[in-house]
Amino acid sequence: MNTEKNSYIFIYSTIMVLVIAAALTVVALQLKPAQENNVRIEKMQNILQSVNISSTPKDAELIYKEKITETFVINNTGVLVENKSAFDINLADELKKEKAEERLFPVFVCTPNKNDSIKYFIVQLRGKGLWGPIWGYMSFNTDLNTVYGCMFDHKGETPGLGAEINTAVFQTQFKGKTIFDENNKFTSIATVKGGAKDNDTHGVDAISGGTITSKGLEQMLYDCLKNYESYFSKNKK
Amino acid sequence: MAQIKNSKLLANPLNLQNPITVQVLGICSSLAVTVQMKPAFVMGLSVTLVTAFSNLIISALRNTIPNRIRIIVQLVVVAALVIIVDQALKAYVYDVWKQLSVFVGLIITNCILMGRLEAFAMGNKPIPSFIDGIGNGLGYSIILLTLAFIRELLGSGSIWGYKVMPPLVYQLGYENNGLMILPPMAVILIGLIIWAQRSWKKELIEK
């Protein structure tokens, strides 16, 4: 057979592409449930990490069910929205909505020890780094002002520089910082170039060489926490 | 070519025809994924599977492939296999998949694959091609694992994620070598491996 004829080449390539497309579709559909489950478990691990509970992919689901005792959804005026699952909210999509009042924000409540009343309120964060999205969770004490813990991660920040935001060294700085000042005005937490002063309760050390990621993180904290501001102000203790 | 024994096809790429140290292919990914042993192992396994099966498929089709679009046909087959591997890793070893990130996708552009397809699979029967693919994949994996072993041991003090350096050593003033974790050290290590191999097998030294 002459394999160099144009008609042969066209037919050959068409069949090849169709066969491979069909095969890939089958594979993708087969593996989708397992992949989605992985993403779900990672989200649980992230939420737990923000209240300083470590977990492995195997036990994350159990620990999550035990420790995260309550979840709810609010809008940007701090009003509870009924019949929404906080876990299934995709913050990236919410932030894209044009009307600010339609955006929904999840809150997760963690009770680390069933027998006492200590609770932590976890909020979700999402923003822009230098190369791509950055995201995270931040937990607050019951005063809804003092940070208890946080986790940040990124899609593709520069290793050794901006990528340092997902290290414990960077994240532990946030513990004990406050987001409201003495006059109850929302101030968020800044990343300070050259290092935050010891008594600065609204600032942490920025990352050397990671200025844009640091600034992006600061912006993310401000923008996302701002959405929770009215809820926090109303429910502060 | 057809006279070469199957056992030779498997053994040659491990040493005398090693894709990384002798053919000097696939250097890019070997620098990137050898900071720890686990991702290096998964990467080696993925490359071995993709090389073996793309060799097999291309070799089986070799008489039907129109010469003018043969590179495209090879690429489509390789790309399909890589996507399958990538999706499977994402489903079953999610944490390793995240570490390997873009490098699984970049297997498509790994020179070892195209090199073997063009040089071997297009002119040989499917079974020898399959074995040749496995051999080259293993040759790649061996170097990857050697690099990862040295880099993880000296850079992080662990092997396969387990701490092996006793705390006593650190108390005596030993420190993990941060340079080991960075790509330049991988280039230097590959250079050292090539040097050692050529001192051992003198016939590899170019005149």
Side-chain angles (χ1 to χ4, degrees):
Chain A
M1 188 165 51
N2 179 9
T3 58
E4 294 308 312
K5 265 183 15 202
N6 282 345
S7 56
Y8 178 83
I9 293 179
F10 273 108
I11 295 168
Y12 191 92
S13 42
T14 311
I15 293 175
M16 176 184 73
V17 169
L18 286 177
V19 168
I20 285 179
L24 289 182
T25 313
V26 172
V27 171
L29 286 176
Q30 288 292 320
L31 295 174
K32 207 166 183 202
Q35 292 171 351
E36 279 170 353
N37 194 37
N38 285 335
V39 174
R40 213 168 56 87
I41 285 175
E42 188 191 21
K43 186 169 181 178
M44 289 178 181
Q45 282 189 281
N46 286 346
I47 294 173
L48 288 172
Q49 198 193 328
S50 74
V51 278
N52 308 325
I53 298 173
S54 61
S55 59
T56 64
K58 285 199 186 82
D59 60 17
E61 194 151 10
L62 267 176
I63 300 181
Y64 181 88
K65 280 195 181 127
E66 189 192 325
K67 306 283 184 190
I68 305 296
T69 43
E70 193 189 340
T71 62
F72 51 85
V73 177
I74 56 168
N75 64 13
N76 68 344
T77 54
V79 179
L80 277 178
V81 181
E82 302 285 325
N83 298 326
K84 290 274 181 192
S85 151
F87 192 82
D88 295 328
I89 293 240
N90 182 338
L91 194 60
D93 291 346
E94 297 299 326
L95 293 173
K96 271 184 218 140
K97 286 185 186 166
E98 262 175 43
K99 290 182 191 147
E101 59 271 22
E102 280 180 7
R103 295 177 190 160
L104 301 173
F105 303 95
V107 181
F108 306 88
V109 183
C110 171
T111 319
N113 198 337
K114 260 186 249 168
N115 305 322
D116 59 23
S117 59
I118 295 176
K119 277 186 183 175
Y120 300 112
F121 290 79
I122 306 164
V123 302
Q124 198 174 354
L125 312 163
R126 191 172 174 94
K128 291 191 194 89
L130 171 58
W131 304 114
I134 54 177
W135 59 88
Y137 295 88
M138 190 168 250
S139 62
F140 293 89
N141 293 341
T142 20
D143 65 356
L144 292 176
N145 182 16
T146 316
V147 177
Y148 174 68
C150 64
M151 73 80 50
F152 304 115
D153 210 345
H154 61 90
K155 182 152 186 229
E157 298 307 296
T158 321
L161 302 174
E164 295 291 300
I165 58 166
N166 67 9
T167 59
V169 180
F170 181 73
Q171 291 168 7
T172 45
Q173 296 187 80
F174 286 83
K175 189 168 182 178
K177 303 287 174 189
T178 51
I179 57 167
F180 291 95
D181 66 9
E182 310 83 58
N183 309 321
N184 276 332
K185 194 174 159 291
F186 175 67
T187 41
S188 186
I189 298 170
T191 55
V192 183
K193 194 170 184 171
K197 296 203 177 65
D198 287 343
N199 58 359
D200 186 353
T201 56
H202 306 296
V204 295
D205 299 353
I207 296 164
S208 309
T211 307
I212 297 178
T213 311
S214 299
K215 284 284 158 206
L217 189 118
E218 181 181 313
Q219 192 69 42
M220 167 174 89
L221 287 174
Y222 186 87
D223 291 346
C224 290
L225 294 177
K226 186 89 185 149
N227 292 313
Y228 290 98
E229 183 194 353
S230 34
Y231 176 81
F232 280 11
S233 305
K234 279 187 230 166
N235 294 280
K236 268 163 86 165
K237 277 176 197 157
Chain B
M1 288 291 270
Q3 293 88 351
I4 302 175
K5 277 196 193 138
N6 285 348
S7 57
K8 281 269 177 207
L9 285 177
L10 197 62
N12 267 349
L14 299 186
N15 189 0
L16 290 177
Q17 281 298 321
N18 189 285
I20 294 185
T21 61
V22 180
Q23 303 177 47
V24 200
L25 302 173
I27 298 290
C28 168
S29 54
S30 62
L31 307 187
V33 298
T34 52
V35 175
Q36 289 169 334
M37 286 195 78
K38 201 175 169 193
F41 174 78
V42 175
M43 183 71 181
L45 188 70
S46 309
V47 170
T48 308
L49 284 175
V50 174
T51 326
F53 282 97
S54 61
N55 258 4
L56 180 72
I57 294 170
I58 291 297
S59 174
L61 296 174
R62 70 187 187 284
N63 294 326
T64 68
I65 298 173
N67 200 35
R68 276 188 283 161
I69 59 162
R70 67 177 197 285
I71 302 280
I72 297 171
V73 175
Q74 290 166 10
L75 268 181
V76 171
V77 170
V78 172
L81 287 169
V82 168
I83 292 170
I84 293 174
V85 168
D86 186 49
Q87 295 293 313
L89 291 179
K90 192 180 176 188
Y92 299 117
V93 277
Y94 190 68
D95 50 335
V96 178
W97 176 78
K98 276 203 301 182
Q99 277 182 41
L100 290 173
S101 65
V102 68
F103 290 99
V104 176
L106 285 180
I107 295 177
I108 299 174
T109 59
N110 193 320
C111 317
I112 298 172
L113 282 153
M114 295 302 282
R116 291 330 290 169
L117 290 175
E118 273 290 285
F120 198 90
M122 286 302 282
N124 288 281
K125 292 207 172 98
I127 298 297
S129 299
F130 185 70
I131 294 169
D132 177 79
I134 290 183
N136 276 280
L138 289 179
Y140 174 81
S141 312
I142 278 188
I143 302 295
L144 237 62
L145 285 172
T146 314
L147 283 175
F149 177 80
I150 301 171
R151 290 181 75 189
E152 193 178 347
L153 181 67
L154 299 179
S156 319
S158 56
I159 290 173
W160 202 272
Y162 297 103
K163 287 275 170 218
V164 290
M165 286 284 177
L168 182 72
V169 182
Y170 291 102
Q171 281 162 19
L172 291 173
Y174 173 81
E175 293 242 5
N176 287 329
N177 186 348
L179 193 58
M180 277 291 167
I181 297 175
L182 302 173
M185 206 57 208
V187 186
I188 295 171
L189 283 175
I190 290 184
L192 292 175
I193 292 175
I194 293 179
W195 180 21
Q197 193 191 16
R198 288 179 191 212
S199 311
W200 172 39
K201 296 278 180 194
K202 296 264 191 263
E203 66 266 35
L204 289 175
I205 301 171
E206 288 95 352
K207 291 277 153 24

